[in-house]
Amino acid sequence: MVLKGASHAATRLLGLQEFKAAKTVKINPDAPQKNARFLMLEARKTLLVPMPCLRSGLFNKIVPPLGATKEILRICATSQGIKEYSVPVGLEGKAQVDLVVVGSVAVSEKGWRIGKGEGYADMEYAMMVSMGAVQEDTPVVTIVHDRQVVDIAEELLGDHDLTVDYIFTPTRTVKTNCKQQPQGIMWHKVTSEMLGKIPILRSLHYKEKQAGKDVTLQDAHSDLANTKKPATLNQRAMAENIRPQAAMGSAEIGKHCVEGDSLSPRLEGSGRITTVYLGNIPPGVRVSELKCALREFHVTPLRLNWQGAQHRAFLDYKDKPTTESAVSSLKGLSLGGYPLRVELAKAQRSKRQVEINSQK
């Protein structure tokens, strides 16, 4: 439901000095912020919109066609326009966000906000902090109806909750002077289920672990508190944020990974195996490092064909959906400080193109 007066409330952005100075703005994709998105595009600012539920990345960058009219820009600001006129921005994009616009269910004049309860706005901001995309002084704005400005008890707020610097309503602008913001991803509040659902969160988890940070998940903390209890294979697998099948898969990768080995007859004859190509593997990287990363990203393949001398590797998966999920999950993966090239292997790309052409 679009709040009454949302379009007018959004025009208050035009008088904000931070808006005038901003080059790149992140705005959530909800309907109440549609006019805010349009105003950004009309002002020729770079507009970033979070991907739905962060399923395949963090941002979509809206790219209007050259010479777009005001009517086209309005279309670009809609949910359908976001799908048609956007390109994904991954970790390697090194986005710098100058202004953040979020929605709220309720907000107080002190700057404390309550979202829909799913925590995506809080997580998006924390991820931007981890990426270096926002700074301590990056302003956060929310656009709401006057009736949504209420008193919020301080005890309802956690240190992971996003607060706002400005509140825009149809009738007024409120500057909150609130300085409390998440300082990054609080891994002890992240579950392995969340990690499994959000590919870019897995990427950041791996990146921060490689940097030596404490990235122990909520599940692991719970497991440590119950170390005196006997653990079954299933429980141990869950404590490691790996499903039992994935734990078996990691055993398989250790057994079948042979440098330069060709596909086994068993896999070749199945007719279902699909392959992912990893390129740009830097010199000095060991196959064990890649295997560790694959387990970390929960994308352990049936077989790993390591060709380190050629700076590449091939990962075999059981079917196309699993392969496509692996490609999505591994986007932004870096080893030795270098981003890897991740895509379907050439034969798979050709096969996919044939399938697409046959459907035309």
Side-chain angles (χ1 to χ4, degrees):
M1 183 179 70
V2 180
L3 65 92
K4 186 176 181 181
S7 293
H8 176 65
T11 61
R12 294 181 177 276
L13 279 165
L14 302 177
L16 189 68
Q17 183 57 41
E18 288 88 337
F19 166 82
K20 297 175 182 177
K23 295 181 179 178
T24 301
V25 183
K26 172 260 173 186
I27 305 181
N28 72 307
D30 295 342
Q33 269 62 251
K34 182 174 70 174
N35 196 47
R37 294 192 294 271
F38 164 71
L39 293 172
M40 297 300 158
L41 294 173
E42 189 179 41
R44 300 296 185 250
K45 299 183 185 295
T46 298
L47 175 60
L48 302 178
V49 179
M51 292 189 179
C53 301
L54 305 176
R55 282 189 294 266
S56 55
L58 182 54
F59 297 129
N60 277 317
K61 176 182 175 181
I62 310 305
V63 184
L66 290 175
T69 63
K70 185 175 291 190
E71 289 70 27
I72 294 295
L73 292 180
R74 289 193 183 279
I75 293 173
C76 292
T78 65
S79 57
Q80 186 60 37
I82 292 171
K83 294 178 183 177
E84 295 181 4
Y85 298 100
S86 67
V87 295
V89 177
L91 287 176
E92 67 280 3
K94 301 186 182 302
Q96 289 293 321
V97 177
D98 304 309
L99 179 66
V100 176
V101 181
V102 298
S104 301
V105 171
V107 62
S108 77
E109 292 188 4
K110 293 182 178 180
W112 302 334
R113 67 176 286 279
I114 296 175
K116 296 177 182 178
E118 297 171 324
Y120 284 113
D122 306 318
M123 178 60 72
E124 289 160 8
Y125 187 89
M127 292 167 86
M128 287 192 289
V129 172
S130 294
M131 293 168 58
V134 293
Q135 311 302 319
E136 288 185 7
D137 59 348
T138 302
V140 180
V141 172
T142 192
I143 300 171
V144 296
H145 192 275
D146 290 277
R147 289 174 299 191
Q148 292 173 272
V149 182
V150 298
D151 291 330
I152 297 176
E154 187 173 357
E155 55 267 24
L156 294 178
L157 274 292
D159 51 4
H160 64 284
D161 286 314
L162 178 65
T163 60
V164 301
D165 300 289
Y166 293 95
I167 303 168
F168 293 140
T169 79
T171 65
R172 59 178 177 148
T173 297
V174 178
K175 185 175 182 180
T176 68
N177 296 312
C178 186
K179 299 300 181 183
Q180 175 185 322
Q181 296 293 13
Q183 298 302 301
I185 300 171
M186 298 181 179
W187 295 108
H188 64 282
K189 295 187 177 182
V190 175
T191 65
S192 57
E193 181 182 5
M194 292 169 63
L195 204 67
K197 289 181 177 179
I198 305 176
I200 195 168
L201 189 60
R202 294 199 295 273
S203 298
L204 287 169
H205 184 262
Y206 177 76
K207 182 179 178 181
E208 295 200 1
K209 183 176 182 179
Q210 292 295 99
K213 296 183 180 181
D214 182 2
V215 293
T216 307
L217 301 181
Q218 186 182 93
D219 315 58
H221 280 293
S222 300
D223 183 69
L224 288 173
N226 294 285
T227 50
K228 294 183 180 180
K229 296 181 181 181
T232 64
L233 172 63
N234 185 55
Q235 288 172 326
R236 287 198 299 273
M238 289 179 64
E240 296 169 2
N241 300 328
I242 303 172
R243 294 180 180 176
Q245 295 91 333
M248 294 294 287
S250 63
E252 288 291 304
I253 191 173
K255 185 166 62 177
H256 291 297
C257 177
V258 179
E259 292 189 14
D261 192 18
S262 61
L263 287 174
S264 69
R266 177 178 64 82
L267 294 180
E268 284 182 331
S270 68
R272 291 178 287 119
I273 298 299
T274 51
T275 304
V276 173
Y277 167 81
L278 297 183
N280 298 338
I281 297 176
V285 170
R286 298 174 180 269
V287 65
S288 58
E289 295 177 59
L290 176 58
K291 289 193 287 186
C292 178
L294 296 174
R295 288 193 293 269
E296 194 75 36
F297 280 66
H298 302 278
V299 289
T300 302
L302 292 173
R303 177 185 174 85
L304 188 158
N305 183 358
W306 173 258
Q307 299 179 12
Q310 289 76 40
H311 310 296
R312 66 191 182 195
F314 296 90
L315 314 177
D316 295 326
Y317 293 93
K318 64 180 182 179
D319 53 33
K320 187 165 68 173
T322 306
T323 303
E324 291 176 344
S325 176
V327 171
S328 175
S329 297
L330 292 172
K331 289 292 186 183
L333 172 64
S334 296
L335 288 178
Y338 293 86
L340 301 192
R341 180 179 174 183
V342 182
E343 59 189 33
L344 288 175
K346 187 175 181 180
Q348 303 300 329
R349 296 200 305 271
S350 299
K351 182 179 178 181
R352 188 175 183 182
Q353 187 60 50
V354 169
E355 292 176 350
I356 293 172
N357 291 338
S358 66
Q359 294 170 5
K360 290 182 179 180

